[in-house]
Amino acid sequence: MGREVSPRPEASDGYGAPYSALAQVYDRWMAADRVPYEQWLGFTGKRFVESGLEVRNVLDVACGTGMTIKALQDHGYEVTGVDASASMLDVARTRTAPGTELLCLAVPDERLAELGPFDAALVCFDGANYLTGQDALATTLHQLVGALRPGGVLVFDLSTRRTFEEIAALGEFGEDFGDFAYIWNTRHEPDTPVYEYLVSLFVPEGELFRRSVEQHAQRHFTRDEVHNALRATGFTDIAVWDNYTERDATDTSRRETWSARRTTGSIPR
């Protein structure tokens, strides 16, 4: 019998929940020539090796349509996937190995800590930027500590304030892929770290196009906020890199990639 799953995230203000419609075109939108999945996997594999652990089983949080899961499985890892969107997980089931455990959980969720123990955990492609609630990052990190075995590896990325400001400066923009199109609008209150996005998706339906509008909310974090949250929740050996490269993150980084290890000592409560 499968584990209990969370319901789909609720829509608000009449808009669809994140990825409820985008799931059907997400892989075309984020194709391999636009997103360097192999680079991400190479970076992550190096962090696994540096840990000195024999990493075999991995938890992929915000796994989406399972692109990263499939890549990890192709390299021999056992992977469990978690995502807030049931629609994205439906696509992931068509790609991942038979029997792959895929759970619909909107983190933070206390059940995350009950899934392990895992040798490593990943939160890729801005999944952690969706942690907009007060203390949501620290709560999720605490739950990931519970999901990892002592010494387990955590790798996650975060888009930076610079990236959010660049997107907001574009105002309304869009792209036509031929078989679908989208329009993106950003809403942002000055002096706050949270940005709201309205994504209008147009998909052919007969001779017309069906329009769906989703509401997304993400936020940026300062480097001190992330570092302090990692330390406070039981992570050590903390490092931050420039977008899945071997370069240190700087103030001009558009995406920061963090790595850390669960303490082998007692976990802070």
Side-chain angles (χ1 to χ4, degrees):
M1 181 178 295
R3 301 178 197 249
E4 180 184 358
V5 299
S6 297
R8 296 169 184 257
E10 294 294 330
S12 61
D13 298 328
Y15 301 118
Y19 303 104
S20 54
L22 281 174
Q24 63 183 306
V25 300
Y26 185 83
D27 289 341
R28 284 270 289 109
W29 193 3
M30 302 300 170
D33 61 342
R34 297 162 65 92
V35 178
Y37 290 105
E38 286 301 318
Q39 177 185 335
W40 294 2
L41 186 63
F43 174 92
T44 301
K46 287 183 179 180
R47 307 291 82 81
F48 292 171
V49 171
E50 290 172 355
S51 73
L53 296 175
E54 184 181 2
V55 176
R56 298 178 60 86
N57 64 331
V58 180
L59 174 64
D60 186 0
V61 178
C63 67
T65 61
M67 293 286 283
T68 304
I69 293 178
K70 177 64 164 58
L72 288 166
Q73 289 176 333
D74 287 346
H75 284 76
Y77 296 100
E78 300 174 7
V79 190
T80 295
V82 170
D83 200 274
S85 170
S87 298
M88 295 286 268
L89 291 175
D90 286 343
V91 179
R93 290 187 182 93
T94 69
R95 167 176 291 117
T96 54
T100 300
E101 189 165 28
L102 299 171
L103 306 173
C104 191
L105 296 178
V107 297
D109 187 308
E110 60 186 12
R111 289 172 291 179
L112 193 66
E114 301 169 1
L115 298 180
F118 293 95
D119 302 322
L122 308 178
V123 192
C124 294
F125 206 8
D126 308 335
N129 286 111
Y130 278 93
L131 298 172
T132 59
Q134 185 175 9
D135 299 325
L137 176 63
T139 301
T140 301
L141 290 174
H142 183 73
Q143 292 163 356
L144 285 170
V145 163
L148 288 167
R149 71 180 176 96
V153 182
L154 172 64
V155 177
F156 65 99
D157 65 55
L158 287 164
S159 281
T160 63
R161 178 174 181 170
R162 176 183 178 181
T163 297
F164 282 91
E165 290 177 344
E166 288 177 354
I167 293 174
L170 294 174
E172 181 179 275
F173 64 92
E175 193 170 3
D176 186 350
F177 285 78
D179 55 342
F180 75 93
Y182 74 89
I183 297 174
W184 183 294
N185 284 276
T186 301
R187 297 176 176 177
H188 176 239
E189 292 292 331
D191 301 320
T192 67
V194 178
Y195 289 69
E196 182 182 285
Y197 303 122
L198 294 180
V199 183
S200 299
L201 178 67
F202 301 86
V203 178
E205 192 171 88
E207 297 182 355
L208 303 175
F209 282 81
R210 176 167 48 85
R211 176 175 179 258
S212 304
V213 183
E214 295 182 3
Q215 183 180 47
H216 297 246
Q218 293 185 312
R219 64 159 292 172
H220 57 74
F221 297 87
T222 68
R223 207 168 294 158
D224 283 345
E225 285 176 321
V226 180
H227 192 277
N228 291 340
L230 285 164
R231 296 287 294 181
T233 51
F235 284 97
T236 61
D237 299 335
I238 300 167
V240 56
W241 316 77
D242 182 8
N243 196 17
Y244 293 95
T245 69
E246 299 303 311
R247 301 186 300 270
D248 291 339
T250 69
D251 291 341
T252 62
S253 296
R254 300 187 74 252
R255 175 179 286 118
E256 295 176 348
T257 310
W258 292 77
S259 65
R261 297 182 63 187
R262 177 193 152 155
T263 179
T264 56
S266 59
I267 300 174
R269 294 187 178 275

